[in-house]
Amino acid sequence: MTKNIGVLISGTGTNLQSIIDKKSKGVLSANIAVVISNNENAYGLIIAKNKNIPTHVVPHKDFTTREEHEKKIIDILKGYNVDLVVLAGYMRILTKFFISHYPEKIINIHPALLPSFRGVDAQRQAVEYGVKISGATVHFVDEKVDHGPIIIQGAVPVSPQDKRDDLAQRILNIEHRILPQAIQWICEGRIKIQGTKVILINKNKPKADIKDIMPCLINPQLEEGF
Ligand code: GRF
């Protein structure tokens, strides 16, 4: 049965675009039921509207508490029978109130190899620290920030000459591959959470071509089409 996903955004929406692209390509079976932004100027809203995907803007500044803001978003998600909430560049921290409505059904894309560089501007943190490898993580959201069981990660090299935006683009190319893949694995029922670990079932499917984003290391490996 096709799962309905609700995508939460705050900005440019390139991860939303990658989800839309994989669906158009026929490798992502989820139904993008609704896109919700806390930022009325998020370009991702235009991306969604261009594909006739329902959109809602719920500005956090219109609410006195986080919970009231989240309640409005939850009501919208429930209205679209959303099975999986995807945080795709969503810049608000969710409270346990929100998470309690979607236990183990919220995933996030973070532009670093968690648990390294949690929080904002992880790309800058990595460049300034001087790491030699960074990357991106898709994980289930729990009550701590940028925490929760990890589904898939992709690693990329970092050079001392890299500026923040050089690394951000290199990581974004990975994000756009691993987020749709994680969504599809969940839609296929192939993701099991065991404590703090995530197990992918049936890993022997044909693998993807990743020449365009090399050098990188992605684990579990991307499957054909992602
Ligand atoms: C991305 O780097 C993502 O990892 C972070 O927000 C940035 C913008 O994402 N969470 P998008 O272009 O809005 O999808």
Side-chain angles (χ1 to χ4, degrees), residues 8-125:
L8 273 53
I9 64 170
S10 297
T12 47
T14 64
N15 277 286
L16 170 64
Q17 184 65 64
S18 71
I19 296 166
I20 292 169
D21 292 346
K22 294 303 181 195
K23 182 157 178 61
S24 304
K25 189 175 177 181
V27 292
L28 182 66
S29 55
N31 170 46
I32 309 168
V34 62
V35 170
I36 301 173
S37 176
N38 64 307
N39 170 11
E40 62 191 353
N41 299 314
Y43 184 73
L45 291 166
I46 294 172
I47 290 174
K49 286 171 183 164
N50 287 345
K51 290 291 181 180
N52 301 314
I53 297 168
T55 60
H56 293 260
V57 177
V58 186
H60 53 277
K61 58 185 184 306
D62 291 356
F63 299 82
T64 50
T65 69
R66 279 185 184 274
E67 283 76 7
E68 282 170 20
H69 177 235
E70 292 178 348
K71 176 79 170 63
K72 176 67 179 168
I73 293 173
I74 290 163
D75 289 347
I76 294 169
L77 292 168
K78 297 290 185 191
Y80 287 91
N81 299 312
V82 162
D83 305 295
L84 178 68
V85 181
V86 179
L87 308 183
Y90 186 65
M91 303 312 278
R92 301 285 296 167
I93 293 170
L94 301 182
T95 72
K96 57 177 175 244
F97 169 73
F98 190 112
I99 295 165
S100 68
H101 284 80
Y102 287 96
E104 299 184 348
K105 293 194 182 331
I106 308 168
I107 63 173
N108 180 49
I109 176 83
H110 183 74
L113 293 176
L114 293 175
S116 297
F117 309 127
R118 289 189 171 110
V120 294
D121 211 346
Q123 303 94 331
R124 183 178 309 282
Q125 292 182 56

Side-chain angles (χ1 to χ4, degrees), residues 130-167:
V131 295
K132 299 304 181 188
I133 293 174
S134 192
T137 301
V138 182
H139 63 98
F140 285 102
V141 172
D142 65 12
E143 295 176 9
K144 296 178 186 169
V145 175
D146 297 328
H147 192 268
I150 291 172
I151 302 167
I152 183 171
Q153 291 185 297
V156 295
V158 187
S159 86
Q161 293 73 33
D162 277 333
K163 301 282 184 290
R164 181 250 181 234
D165 289 353
D166 301 323
L167 178 59

Side-chain angles (χ1 to χ4, degrees), residues 5 19 28 30 84 86 107 179-187:
I5 66 171
I19 296 166
L28 182 66
L84 178 68
V86 179
I107 63 173
L179 181 57
Q181 174 71 89
I183 295 168
Q184 182 58 19
W185 282 338
I186 292 168
C187 290

